[in-house]
């Protein structure tokens, strides 16, 4: 920073201050001079000249009073003009004896100090010229003194007036000298402080230069002139190796974009030299030949009247490598998503689609051109919008990362209605919350379900019609029987037999309804198992492909990859186990000679009921070690134990435990199912196997479940027994004949 403007400003302020002080001081002594001049004019009769001097002094007072309104130069010019008037009138009145001639020195010095040295010389020359001119006029007799010189010299007021003039001239010179000396001292101290501040700033900048975490290089004439220690560390070289060489000498022949390094550097330096800062990426070579990437910032700076280019280099090799890996990872993820058989869509909270895989366009007709269109033709069915919106609100307002499974209808761009099943998850991209939707087209499955529902309804309607016909026939027979009862005992016996037949028909009706329901459930279960098998095959194929790919590339030893592969395999195995269990459960046969593993049957039942038991019921298995086999019908045994487990879970109001225990006693296999539910009263315990008897609330049960269980156990030549206590729980004990090896 230059100190010249500060010195000039201080000097100008000093000039203005001295000028104002002189104006005020001279005004005081001018008043005294005016008083003395009044007496001198009375003594020597120079009233006209005194009036001129008095007018000049009055103007001087006005300038002093309004000095703030005048510039420094204007005030000096006016003061010189007023003193010139006083000077001329003094010479006219008193000639050589005029005291005003003593002001020549003070006025000239004031002009030189405030305005300029040259103007001070001009002022001195003018006043000397006037002095000599009046001297010449007096010497040739053109002007004469109008007073007695001897008397004037004996007049004390004349001496007093001259003393005032001498004081004013001397005071002005001393005043200017005093403040000039003071200003020089203050400015010298200011310059000294500025010099110390500049030295301190230079040390600070040098410290910042050397301690920066980035490489800082000063370039002059396109060559390295100076650098900090980080530069040498970055290039792994000595200072002598890097100094006085051009940047492209430490670069490969071509940059990653294919442009020659020397030509590209020349183009960049041309832009910087024209005052255009540059920020770009560059590839350098260390002294050992190692390539590394840097981010470069170039700016023109001035140091001690010399132009440099300041280069700031930051090593971005690691970040470049990380970006490359992220890009490769994104590419792998994109390929995986594109090959996924379901719709995967990513959208922001405004409803704009950010990404969608190929199945989004294939199934719904939504193209990338529609991603930012809010009123798209393809949309959620209006009747299902409240459900979807409710799940969205629940997801966004809660702490869960994904929604429950949502099933809804969707209208594609061609107007076709699809059924979708999927979830919505919260994901963050660049710090912004987005929604990821994974949906599967289940339209075909829904059609199968609708057809099954129609078949079931028609079957129940047919049974109701047949039952009504039987009831009408029964009523007719009862009426006929009443008429003939008194006449023929044989008819009465036939009526009794008919009633028994009706009871059997009712029981057969109950079993028929249940059998048809189980058949429908078996068809549905088989269909679902088949539908699940298809994506399982896709996933297993993908798993085998990934395993082969990683094995070929020697990546199977990677712990992360092993974990991901084992997770996929475990999920496939678990789903396969569920499908197999559903397959066994859906078997429909009247064969009672099947080999039935009791433990497998119980596990299949738990598998089917898992969704209704989890998070509420804890199931404890107390199986014997060896497998237990009985001869019977697997489908009916599944139905038997599902009924018992459902009754046990329904007896538990909130949370509880169900214990499944197996034992082998001589020729029988014993299965105990114990719950800690509400229990059954003693008066109801003996009636629970009666058809249509139930302790549940109206509409909650039909009362035929345990009756059917009793029938199944009877068909298998087994027995069942119930023990129960109110608020303690219930235990059902089933005994079935053990299968003997041939």
């Amino acid at each position: 920073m230059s100190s010249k403007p500060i010195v000039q400003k201080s000097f100008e302020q000093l000039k203005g201050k001295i000028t104002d002080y002189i104006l005020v001081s001279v005004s005081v002594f001018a008043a005294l001079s005016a008083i003395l001049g009044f007496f001198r004019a009375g003594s020597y009769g120079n009233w006209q000249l005194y009036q001129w001097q008095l007018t000049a002094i009055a103007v001087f007072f006005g300038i002093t009073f309004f000095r703030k309104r005048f510039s420094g130069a204007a005030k000096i010019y006016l003061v010189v003009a007023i003193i010139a008037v006083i000077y001329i009138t003094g010479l006219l009145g008193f000639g050589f004896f005029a005291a005003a001639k003593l002001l020549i020195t003070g006025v000239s010095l004031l002009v030189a100090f405030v305005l300029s040295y040259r103007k001070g010389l001009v002022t001195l020359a003018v006043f000397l010229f006037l002095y000599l001119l009046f001297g010449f006029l007096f010497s040739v007799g053109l002007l004469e003194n109008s007073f007695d010189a001897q008397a004037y010299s004996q007049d004390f007021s004349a001496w007093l007036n001259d003393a005032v003039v001498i004081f004013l001239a001397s005071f002005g010179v001393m005043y200017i000298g005093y403040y000039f000396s003071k200003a020089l001292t203050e400015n010298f101290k200011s310059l000294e402080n500025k010099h110390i501040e500049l030295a301190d700033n230079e040390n600070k900048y040098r410290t910042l230069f050397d301690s920066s975490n980035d490489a800082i290089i000063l370039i002059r004439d396109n060559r390295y002139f100076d650098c900090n220690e980080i530069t040498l560390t970055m290039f792994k070289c000595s200072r002598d190796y890097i100094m006085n060489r051009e940047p492209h000498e430490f670069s490969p022949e071509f940059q990653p974009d294919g442009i020659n390094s020397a030509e590209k550097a020349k183009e960049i330096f041309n832009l910087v030299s024209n005052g255009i800062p540059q920020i770009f990426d560059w590839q350098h070579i260390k002294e050992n030949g190692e390539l590394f990437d840097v981010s470069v910032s170039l700016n023109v700076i001035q140091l001690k009247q010399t132009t440099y280019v300041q280069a700031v280099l930051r090593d971005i090799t690691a970040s470049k490598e990380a970006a490359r890996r992220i890009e490769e990872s994104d590419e792998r993820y994109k390929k995986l998503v594109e090959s996924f058989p379901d719709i995967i869509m990513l959208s922001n909270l405004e409803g704009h689609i950010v990404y969608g895989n190929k199945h989004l366009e294939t199934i719904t007709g939504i193209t990338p051109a529609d991603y930012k269109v809010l009123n798209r033709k393809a949309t959620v069915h209006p009747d299902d919008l409240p459900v979807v919106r409710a799940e969205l609100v629940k997801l966004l307002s809660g702490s869960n990362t994904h929604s429950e499974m949502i099933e809804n209808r969707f209208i594609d761009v061609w107007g076709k209605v699809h059924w979708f099943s999927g979830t919505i998850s919260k994901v963050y991209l660049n710090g912004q919350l987005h929604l990821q939707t994974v949906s599967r087209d289940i339209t075909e499955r829904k059609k199968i379900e609708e057809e099954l529902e129609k078949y079931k309804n028609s079957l129940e309607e047919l049974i109701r019609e047949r039952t009504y016909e039987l009831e009408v026939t029964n009523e007719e027979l009862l009426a006929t029987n009443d008429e003939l009862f008194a006449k023929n005992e044989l008819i009465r016996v036939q009526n009794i037999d008919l009633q028994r037949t009706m009871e059997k028909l009712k029981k057969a009706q109950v079993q028929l309804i249940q059998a048809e329901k189980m058949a429908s459930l078996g068809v549905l279960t088989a269909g679902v198992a088949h539908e699940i098998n298809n994506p399982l095959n896709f996933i297993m194929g993908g798993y085998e492909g990934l395993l082969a790919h990683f094995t070929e590339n020697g990546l199977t030893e990677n712990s992360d990859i092993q974990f991901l592969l084992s997770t996929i395999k475990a999920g496939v195995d678990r789903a396969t186990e569920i499908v197999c269990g559903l397959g066994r459960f859906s078997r429909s046969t009247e064969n009672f000679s099947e080999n039935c593993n009791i433990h497998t049957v119980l596990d299949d039942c738990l598998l089917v009921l898992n969704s209704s038991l989890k998070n509420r019921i804890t199931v404890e298995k107390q199986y014997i070690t060896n497998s237990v086999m009985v001869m019977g019908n697997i489908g009916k045994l599944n139905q038997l134990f599902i009924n018992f487990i459902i009754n046990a879970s329904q007896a538990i109001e909130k949370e509880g435990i169900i214990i499944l225990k197996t034992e082998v006693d001589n020729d029988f296999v014993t299965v105990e199912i114990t719950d800690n539910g509400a229990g059954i009263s003693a008066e109801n315990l003996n009636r629970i196997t009666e058809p249509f008897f139930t302790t549940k609330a109206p509409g909650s049960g039909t009362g035929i479940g345990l009756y059917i269980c009793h029938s199944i156990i009877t068909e298998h030549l087994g027995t069942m027994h119930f023990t129960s206590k109110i608020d303690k729980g219930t235990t059902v004990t089933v005994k079935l004949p053990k299968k003997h090896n041939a």
Side-chain angles (χ1 to χ4, degrees), residues 120-245:
L121 289 177
V122 172
T123 302
L124 177 62
V126 170
F127 274 79
L128 287 176
F129 172 75
L130 292 174
Y131 182 78
L132 294 175
L133 176 62
F134 277 93
F136 174 75
L137 294 176
F138 273 102
S139 64
V140 297
L142 293 177
L143 292 176
E144 294 180 352
N145 289 322
S146 59
F147 64 92
D148 184 358
Q150 182 63 29
Y152 182 79
S153 62
Q154 293 176 348
D155 187 351
F156 181 73
S157 64
W159 289 86
L160 187 60
N161 188 68
D162 287 349
V164 170
V165 174
I166 293 171
F167 175 80
L168 288 175
S170 301
F171 177 78
V173 173
M174 289 188 296
Y175 197 79
I176 292 173
Y178 167 73
Y179 274 99
F180 187 74
S181 174
K182 183 178 180 181
L184 287 177
T185 302
E186 291 177 352
N187 287 332
F188 177 78
K189 290 181 179 179
S190 176
L191 287 173
E192 185 177 17
N193 291 334
K194 292 299 178 183
H195 178 74
I196 295 172
E197 182 180 352
L198 286 173
D200 184 53
N201 287 338
E202 184 175 354
N203 291 332
K204 291 179 181 178
Y205 295 146
R206 172 56 66 176
T207 301
L208 291 174
F209 180 76
D210 291 333
S211 62
S212 172
N213 292 326
D214 296 329
I216 302 177
I217 304 172
L218 293 181
I219 302 174
R220 187 172 67 183
D221 300 329
N222 294 354
R223 294 179 177 272
Y224 287 172
F225 177 76
D226 193 9
C227 69
N228 60 359
E229 291 297 323
I230 294 295
T231 305
L232 306 180
T233 302
M234 185 179 293
F235 282 85
K236 291 185 178 179
C237 66
S238 63
R239 189 175 296 274
D240 294 337
Y241 175 81
I242 200 172
M243 288 298 103
N244 203 31
R245 296 176 68 180

Side-chain angles (χ1 to χ4, degrees), residues 448 452 518-533 579 582-587:
I448 294 173
L452 286 173
M518 291 302 295
S520 300
L521 181 59
V523 173
L524 175 60
T525 303
V528 172
H530 177 72
E531 286 299 315
I532 294 176
N533 250 335
V579 170
L582 290 174
R584 289 191 294 270
F585 179 78
S586 63
R587 293 177 61 183

Side-chain angles (χ1 to χ4, degrees), residues 22-33:
I22 289 177
L23 285 175
V24 174
S25 301
V26 171
S27 296
V28 174
F29 288 100
L32 179 61
S33 178

Side-chain angles (χ1 to χ4, degrees), residues 391-568:
E391 285 295 333
L392 278 176
V393 171
K394 180 180 177 182
L395 175 64
L396 294 175
S397 61
S399 59
N400 292 337
T401 57
H402 59 85
S403 69
E404 299 291 338
M405 189 67 68
I406 305 172
E407 290 190 359
N408 64 276
R409 287 164 291 177
F410 192 90
I411 304 173
D412 62 23
V413 296
W414 304 286
K416 181 181 178 181
V417 177
H418 299 260
W419 271 99
F420 285 158
S421 175
T423 60
I424 304 174
S425 304
K426 293 188 286 190
V427 296
Y428 286 87
L429 293 178
N430 300 323
Q432 298 294 322
L433 177 61
H434 288 70
L435 297 175
Q436 176 181 273
T437 304
V438 180
S439 294
R440 174 168 295 180
D441 191 337
I442 59 170
T443 306
E444 293 301 320
R445 194 191 84 187
K446 281 291 184 180
K447 288 181 179 178
I448 294 173
E449 291 177 356
E450 290 175 0
E451 291 176 1
L452 286 173
E453 184 67 24
K454 290 178 181 177
Y455 173 73
K456 185 185 72 171
N457 292 336
S458 63
L459 182 61
E460 290 179 348
E461 181 64 28
L462 179 61
I463 292 173
R464 281 195 295 270
E465 290 177 359
R466 294 294 182 266
T467 303
Y468 176 74
E469 291 175 359
L470 289 172
E471 289 176 349
V472 170
T473 302
N474 182 49
E475 290 177 358
E476 292 175 353
L477 289 174
L478 286 175
T480 303
N481 188 52
D482 288 339
E483 293 176 359
L484 298 176
F485 181 75
K487 299 179 180 180
N488 197 329
E489 182 65 18
L490 180 61
I491 295 175
R492 184 184 66 81
V493 173
Q494 290 177 347
N495 186 45
I496 294 173
D497 291 339
L498 183 60
Q499 289 179 345
R500 290 175 181 174
T501 302
M502 283 299 301
E503 292 295 328
K504 292 180 181 180
L505 284 174
K506 288 185 178 180
K507 293 179 181 179
Q509 176 190 353
V510 170
Q511 292 178 344
L512 180 60
I513 293 173
Q514 186 65 20
E516 291 298 334
K517 287 185 177 180
M518 291 302 295
S520 300
L521 181 59
V523 173
L524 175 60
T525 303
V528 172
H530 177 72
E531 286 299 315
I532 294 176
N533 250 335
N534 290 333
L536 278 180
N537 292 333
F538 280 113
I539 296 172
M540 195 62 189
Y543 165 79
E544 295 294 341
L546 288 174
L547 181 60
H549 172 75
F550 290 135
T551 303
E552 290 174 0
N553 291 275
L555 300 175
T556 55
E557 297 301 320
N558 186 291
S559 60
D560 291 338
I561 293 176
Q562 288 180 351
F563 174 76
L564 292 174
L565 288 177
S566 64
T567 302
I568 296 173

